[in-house]
Amino acid sequence: MRYEEMTGLVQTRAQLPDRQSAERAVRATLETLAERIPDGLAGHMAAQLPQEAAEPLRRVAASHESSPEERAYRRDHGERFDLTGFAGRIAWRTEHTEEEALREAAAFFEVLDSAVDPELMEKLYGVLPNDIRELLPESRAEQNPPPEPDSRTE
């Protein structure tokens, strides 16, 4: 999928007024997602996206380069925050409300689901906590029932 097609679909699905708003929503969602998921998964996702969409993922992962312990943790886990934190970060980045940020993120995830391999979406689903998983397309949730609660993944 080309970047222009991706942002156009996000614009339509999130009912955004223009392409620039859609680009901000895509960038903000990807940056926030890259903070939440393991760096390795962010790298695999970046490899399947257009360059313009891959850049925020790669930039956030590169910013994690600090102590060896921190790099190892980020590579395997990502930063821990819930849906409220996810929405707040996107809202801050887009200068929208949290409600708008959630709508935009859900629209982006619908587009992402058709832009990357299903296996990669399965992995993404597996690393996100239940509340953030609710933003993923309903068909993805039906294919992957939530695992039993595990305090290590929340």
Side-chain angles (χ1 to χ4, degrees):
M1 176 178 294
R2 292 183 353 264
Y3 184 69
E4 295 78 20
E5 180 183 5
M6 177 180 281
T7 56
L9 289 169
V10 170
Q11 180 182 352
T12 300
R13 291 180 182 171
Q15 300 175 339
L16 295 168
D18 53 43
R19 181 63 56 102
Q20 293 76 19
S21 296
E23 289 175 349
R24 275 193 305 277
V26 167
R27 187 173 45 253
T29 305
L30 284 168
E31 288 172 351
T32 305
L33 186 63
E35 291 168 343
R36 184 62 181 83
I37 65 176
D39 286 347
L41 182 55
H44 289 297
M45 189 167 293
Q48 293 189 22
L49 292 174
Q51 177 60 35
E52 300 92 337
E55 190 274 328
L57 290 167
R58 291 186 177 123
R59 184 173 20 82
V60 169
S63 73
H64 293 157
E65 294 182 8
S66 54
S67 72
E69 296 82 18
E70 179 70 15
R71 281 194 306 272
Y73 183 82
R74 295 267 189 196
R75 183 176 48 249
D76 297 336
H77 301 288
E79 189 178 338
R80 298 293 177 229
F81 49 84
D82 62 8
L83 182 62
T84 301
F86 194 79
R89 290 174 190 223
I90 294 171
W92 176 76
R93 288 179 165 122
T94 59
E95 299 180 358
H96 291 159
T97 66
E98 289 185 10
E99 184 177 307
E100 291 168 323
L102 290 173
R103 186 185 73 241
E104 293 164 9
F108 171 75
F109 283 130
E110 284 182 37
V111 174
L112 181 68
D113 191 52
S114 63
V116 299
D117 289 337
E119 182 179 302
L120 188 58
M121 287 302 291
E122 303 273 334
K123 289 179 181 178
L124 178 63
Y125 189 90
V127 301
L128 293 174
N130 291 337
D131 57 353
I132 297 175
R133 275 189 207 126
E134 292 177 10
L135 296 175
L136 295 174
E138 286 186 31
S139 62
R140 182 69 49 204
E142 291 167 4
Q143 293 172 6
N144 299 290
E148 294 300 313
D150 182 347
S151 61
R152 294 174 298 165
T153 60
E154 297 298 327

